[in-house]
Amino acid sequence: MIYGLLGLIAVLLVYVVLLHLKLHEMSELVQESNILTASEGTRLQQTYYLKFNVDKDMKITQVNGDTLNYGGYTREQLIGQNVLGTLLKDVPANKEMLEECFRQLKKKKRIISSEQVLQKSDKTKIPVLLRARPILNELLQCRGISFWGYPLNQQLNLEKQLKREQEKDQLIGEILNAESFCRHLDEHVRVCNRYNQPLLFIAVELADIYNFVNKGFSFETGDKLLRLAADACIESTGKDAVIGRFEHTKIGIILEKYDNAEIPSLTQSLWDNLIANIRKLNVDKVNAGMVCIYYSRRKNKDEAENMLSRTRKYLSNSLAIHRYGIGTRDRNK
């Protein structure tokens, strides 16, 4: 009897250890799910956040509002229905995918991801990225799958938006930062060299007027000056221009679509808009003109670094002798 009792105690101890391990595993799983869900919720603002649960018989047991709205379904059309033929097209490949998903989740009990095609109520197909985690019963056995994710087209748009935000100048906002602008210039010059296309690089130097405003007004006014100058560049050159700050007080503009005959009027318009915006800071007309504009066209087999070097040299010399206005070293102006 004692041996029987000891054996029972040993079995119970093994069960307790296994239960502890399972609970620890489930805790990690829940933590991972919560972290992912929270991060998705943060990143996926203004998008559809899809979520639905299925049981072992492939029937839908739960669905959120975004899935209903995005798919064009009512709750009654989905709850209790097989996921195949509703949210997922009823084809062998999808059935095999779900069965494989169950097999993996039963073994690993961790989150897995896969790209799928969501079927709307009107039978249109939308690619989605879905994550799956097991729904566990009280014995920690997999009794279903919880899917959540979002349309891939929205993910691509979010990634593009994120990339644009990362490329923006953090002080000015609507133009590129130095690293991104120089990369864009290098790419444009390479492409134009390959196909022998024209490229115009315009630089605006604001060093003297920036220092004047900082000393005479405030640092906040100096920052506002940079933003107003960027606005003038955007207004003057149109949507085809690539604009960025490549040094603290230097704003660059890349143009591929232009006419040589239009360069004088283009740069004059830029100058006029710059002065008008600077005057908004209550700067007098004389001091508002402490701005240098330099333009350079791509030469044969030119390089971005060469264009920047020519620009910096010209602007440095201009500032040294207080030569403001519009200038270039190009021949055949």
Side-chain angles (χ1 to χ4, degrees), residues 247-296:
E247 284 182 18
H248 185 52
T249 58
K250 293 180 177 66
I251 297 175
I253 303 167
I254 306 167
L255 278 171
E256 291 184 11
K257 297 178 181 179
Y258 71 94
D259 188 321
N260 281 332
E262 296 175 352
I263 294 177
S265 61
L266 172 65
T267 51
Q268 185 60 51
S269 174
L270 174 59
W271 171 268
D272 293 339
N273 286 334
L274 281 165
I275 302 306
N277 277 9
I278 294 170
R279 292 293 307 276
K280 292 177 182 178
L281 300 173
N282 295 320
V283 177
D284 64 274
K285 188 174 182 180
V286 175
N287 286 311
M290 292 191 295
V291 176
C292 302
I293 295 178
Y294 172 80
Y295 67 87
S296 175

Side-chain angles (χ1 to χ4, degrees), residues 99-115:
E99 291 173 348
E100 179 61 24
C101 200
F102 266 109
R103 282 194 292 270
Q104 288 190 35
L105 291 174
K106 283 179 181 178
K107 291 178 182 179
K108 300 179 180 178
K109 293 186 175 60
R110 62 177 58 206
I111 295 169
I112 58 176
S113 301
S114 65
E115 292 184 13

